[in-house]
């Protein structure tokens, strides 16, 4: 079977993914708060399509430790790792509008100090 070429009607999208393994527990809640503020700014940005945030943490376990004790004793579940994924209509939207927004700039400032050296940003 020959590979098919893309249809001329297909849209191309711009995607950005981040992997953020947080260094310290005290940085988790500020990161979550900042992430929510960034999400609010995303919604009003021209060219924004969709985004998602994932974590391997049991956040209810952080808030209610006694529940965690009885439900899961697996320490690798608490790695403090976060993933974000954002889809844009084109490359110019995030660069022109979103990258210079206040909360995104704040996130970029703390990214290097809060994240472990294995943190990554991938754009395609």
């Amino acid at each position: 079977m020959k590979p098919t070429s893309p249809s001329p009607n297909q849209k191309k999208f711009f995607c950005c993914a981040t992997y953020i393994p947080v260094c310290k527990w005290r940085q988790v809640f500020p990161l979550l708060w900042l992430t929510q503020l960034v999400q609010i700014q995303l919604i009003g940005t021209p060219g924004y399509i969709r985004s998602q945030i994932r974590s391997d943490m049991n956040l209810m376990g952080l808030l209610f430790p006694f529940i965690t004790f009885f439900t899961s004793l697996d320490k690798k579940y608490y790695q403090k790792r976060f993933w974000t994924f954002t889809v844009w209509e084109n490359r110019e939207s995030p660069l022109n509008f979103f990258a210079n927004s206040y909360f995104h700039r704040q996130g970029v400032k703390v990214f290097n100090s809060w994240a472990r050296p294995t943190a990554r940003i991938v754009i395609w």
Side-chain angles (χ1 to χ4, degrees), residues 15-68:
C15 302
C16 179
T18 59
Y19 166 61
I20 309 167
V22 179
C23 292
K24 298 176 184 169
W25 282 104
R26 65 185 166 104
Q27 297 161 334
V28 169
F29 285 113
L31 175 72
L32 291 173
W33 177 250
L34 187 58
T35 302
Q36 291 306 310
L37 296 173
V38 168
Q39 285 290 105
I40 292 167
Q41 278 190 324
L42 270 173
I43 293 168
T45 304
Y48 166 75
I49 296 175
R50 185 172 181 181
S51 64
Q52 218 165 19
I53 302 163
R54 294 283 185 225
S55 170
D56 64 355
M57 293 176 42
N58 177 353
L59 297 177
M60 286 305 291
L62 286 174
L63 297 174
F64 304 102
F66 61 91
I67 294 173
T68 304

